[in-house]
Amino acid sequence: MECRDARKNLSALLDGALEPDAAEAVRDHIGSCAACAAAFETMRAADAEARTALRGVAESAQPSGRFTARVLAGIARQGRAPSATLWRPRVRRLALVAAAVVIIGLGIWTIVSNLPGREGDDVTVTSVRPAPPRPTVLVLTTLELPSVRGLVEELLGNGFPEPSAEPEEVDRPQLNYAPTVVPTHWG
Amino acid sequence: MDAAAEGALIAAARRGDRGAFGILVERYRDRLHRVALGLTRGSADAEDLAQEAFVRAYGGLGRFRGDCAFYTWLFGILLNVYRRWVRRRARVRQHVVNTQTDAPDLAPLPNRQAAAKDELERALSVIDHLPPKLREVLVLRHLEEMSYVEMARAIGCRVGTVRSRLHRAREQLAARWQRVRGE
């Protein structure tokens, strides 16, 4: 065993937390290496002193006689039964799952909508125009979730805007940069 | 109190029986208080921390699944309360750093021989320099004699992390201990 390996195991050796074979190997190394033996002795002494100090501090005071009463008063002030917390982790998990679905959906939609046309597609330069609108509801319709769509429609109360097959053309003045090339099968 | 009796008390407390929870508090308050004292270096806040841990434990009983000992779960809550206390103190210290020393609160120690007291102070000053995460494992190991597995459950990390933190804590202790001795 090398010094580096032995040093990594000194703490576990102190706790008796090494497997018997590993402990024996470390002990053998310490027996033959003065530097590692000194390091082990220093660690052992420092640790023993720390343990004594911590126990001294821990015994320096006792909990007050009103400890339990104060805890129960704190619980009463909180005014919440433990059973009331049972549903919270579930709701939190559900909210996390819902958030994850929305984020993943947005990610997929963003990637898919930005894919270039396939090789061999007819491509023509049409005009310079702004990117089509990408409202969040479009993600939901893209994911084809009728129940979600119905819910959103109900919440909005005014129906659900259909995404237009062709983005709206916008007349623009002469521009100095190159026009965007878009596949003709857009949408 | 055996495990079944404790389980019955936990179940009753879950249903809102504060008396049952009071019995659990009586059972574990000394241990939690001792660990709080060790973590805070005997601060007067130790009792508040232990009490807050119990109050939070009651509110979170619904999350106790019984996959570890109840006291291990309690110590996990205490560690969370302690970490918040450390952050709060750090914020407060930023405001008073120019007017006070950085020494932590010291509860009056019992009367001891001067030399022994000096020795204790010196050891505590060495421990003070440990970051909270390293101090936690040292305190749980020395005051509760917890196994690596129990510490991992209380802290909410892997056994390997506990082992590594304990190793780093002892390395830092040894290095500082040598420097202090050499002075």
Side-chain angles (χ1 to χ4, degrees):
Chain A
M1 178 175 274
E2 292 187 9
C3 290
R4 210 176 71 173
D5 298 324
R7 298 275 175 111
K8 279 195 296 191
N9 287 309
L10 294 182
S11 171
L13 184 68
L14 269 179
D15 291 325
L18 289 176
E19 293 294 321
D21 290 351
E24 195 179 330
V26 176
R27 277 199 210 95
D28 285 348
H29 179 83
I30 288 173
S32 61
C33 174
C36 286
F40 181 66
E41 183 51 34
T42 303
M43 184 181 277
R44 193 198 57 72
D47 189 59
E49 205 166 278
R51 182 175 58 233
T52 305
L54 283 172
R55 289 183 178 175
V57 166
E59 289 160 11
S60 65
Q62 293 294 316
S64 68
R66 292 197 36 81
F67 185 98
T68 305
R70 284 186 185 138
V71 169
L72 294 177
I75 289 169
R77 268 198 307 277
Q78 206 176 43
R80 196 177 66 197
S83 54
T85 63
L86 277 168
W87 60 273
R88 289 173 66 200
R90 287 179 201 163
V91 168
R92 196 165 47 212
R93 270 199 297 273
L94 203 64
L96 283 172
V97 169
V101 166
V102 169
I103 289 167
I104 291 169
L106 273 171
I108 291 172
W109 181 77
T110 305
I111 291 167
V112 168
S113 64
N114 285 315
L115 282 176
R118 290 187 301 273
E119 198 174 329
D121 282 349
D122 292 333
V123 175
T124 56
V125 178
T126 54
S127 65
V128 177
R129 59 191 172 193
R134 297 172 181 174
T136 308
V137 288
L138 189 60
V139 176
L140 299 174
T141 54
T142 307
L143 292 173
E144 295 179 354
L145 297 171
S147 56
V148 176
R149 185 187 160 114
L151 180 66
V152 173
E153 280 179 350
E154 192 178 319
L155 286 172
L156 292 175
N158 57 355
F160 206 78
E162 288 291 338
S164 57
E166 278 291 321
E168 193 181 341
E169 294 276 344
V170 176
D171 290 326
R172 294 203 165 211
Q174 190 63 38
L175 298 171
N176 293 328
Y177 52 82
T180 307
V181 176
V182 294
T184 51
H185 63 81
W186 181 281
Chain B
M1 187 189 298
D2 59 16
E6 183 172 286
L9 285 172
I10 293 168
R14 260 199 197 124
R15 291 192 298 271
D17 183 345
R18 290 178 195 168
F21 191 73
I23 297 171
L24 292 168
V25 174
E26 291 282 328
R27 184 176 189 198
Y28 291 114
R29 66 174 189 179
D30 287 359
R31 288 173 71 179
L32 245 68
H33 186 246
R34 269 168 55 85
V35 169
L37 282 168
L39 288 169
T40 62
R41 204 216 213 237
S43 163
D45 293 339
E47 180 154 330
D48 290 340
L49 261 58
Q51 285 173 1
E52 189 181 338
F54 277 116
V55 173
R56 285 177 182 275
Y58 181 80
L61 271 176
R63 290 192 291 277
F64 176 61
R65 296 188 301 270
D67 51 2
C68 66
F70 184 62
Y71 72 86
T72 307
W73 183 71
L74 281 178
F75 282 122
I77 294 171
L78 176 64
L79 292 180
N80 284 333
V81 173
Y82 162 67
R83 288 169 199 155
R84 237 189 320 273
W85 177 80
V86 169
R87 286 196 293 273
R88 206 165 50 230
R89 273 171 60 96
R91 280 198 296 273
V92 170
R93 275 186 191 173
Q94 281 182 340
H95 292 294
V96 296
V97 72
N98 293 327
T99 54
Q100 288 183 0
T101 63
D102 202 33
D105 294 342
L106 261 180
L109 293 167
N111 277 337
R112 293 168 187 271
Q113 297 295 325
K117 195 170 177 180
D118 286 349
E119 188 92 350
L120 184 66
E121 286 296 324
R122 194 166 53 195
L124 287 173
S125 74
V126 172
I127 297 170
D128 281 343
H129 286 87
L130 291 178
K133 284 184 177 176
L134 302 190
R135 182 192 286 231
E136 286 169 12
V137 287
L138 200 72
V139 167
L140 291 179
R141 180 70 194 159
H142 285 327
L143 293 184
E144 279 296 314
E145 297 182 349
M146 277 190 181
S147 69
Y148 287 12
V149 173
E150 285 177 314
M151 282 190 273
R153 281 182 180 150
I155 295 168
C157 65
R158 295 179 187 172
V159 172
T161 306
V162 168
R163 185 177 158 141
S164 156
R165 284 183 189 172
L166 209 44
H167 181 74
R168 276 159 48 211
R170 283 170 169 153
E171 271 190 337
Q172 290 186 23
L173 277 182
R176 198 164 282 276
W177 186 81
Q178 263 186 324
R179 277 203 294 277
V180 170
R181 291 267 159 175
E183 282 171 1

